[in-house]
Amino acid sequence: MIFSAFLTATGQLFWKWGHTNLLYMMIGFLCYGLGAVFMLKAFSLEKLSVAYPLMCMSYIFALFYGDFFLGEDITLKKAIAVALLGIGVTLTSYEK
């Protein structure tokens, strides 16, 4: 599921670049599609309430993609927001 989140965030990064470049748009669709395939496989192996929260890793990937490739600074506010998302998603999937 983490690999799916990585591919999904990567696909979205290519879509961001691809609005002016068709090749990047196609690479984005390829990454997003592969991410969906891995997500379906994860769903077949694990409960939805456990597997799906791992998709929140895409927020972390997107945060770093924005910083490294798009010049978007990682501010303390953004880091805290992503951390809170991760904590919230973890709490929703924690069963004990």
Side-chain angles (χ1 to χ4, degrees):
M1 200 60 163
I2 293 172
F3 191 59
S4 173
F6 169 75
L7 287 171
T8 300
T10 303
Q12 292 170 350
L13 174 66
F14 275 96
W15 285 345
K16 172 78 175 167
W17 289 332
H19 69 280
T20 57
N21 186 323
L22 186 59
L23 177 62
Y24 284 168
M25 185 70 75
M26 299 302 289
I27 293 171
F29 278 114
L30 178 65
C31 289
Y32 207 82
L34 286 172
V37 169
F38 281 102
M39 184 187 309
L40 291 171
K41 182 65 178 171
F43 287 157
S44 72
L45 299 173
E46 188 59 67
K47 292 189 300 186
L48 178 67
S49 62
V50 174
Y52 195 77
L54 290 173
M55 281 301 289
C56 77
M57 294 294 293
S58 66
Y59 294 114
I60 296 169
F61 295 128
L63 188 69
F64 285 108
Y65 281 165
D67 184 53
F68 291 128
F69 298 113
L70 301 173
E72 299 172 359
D73 294 330
I74 298 176
T75 63
L76 181 62
K77 184 178 174 182
K78 288 179 183 177
I80 290 171
V82 169
L84 289 173
L85 283 169
I87 291 168
V89 167
T90 301
L91 288 174
T92 59
S93 65
Y94 190 69
E95 293 184 356
K96 292 183 181 178

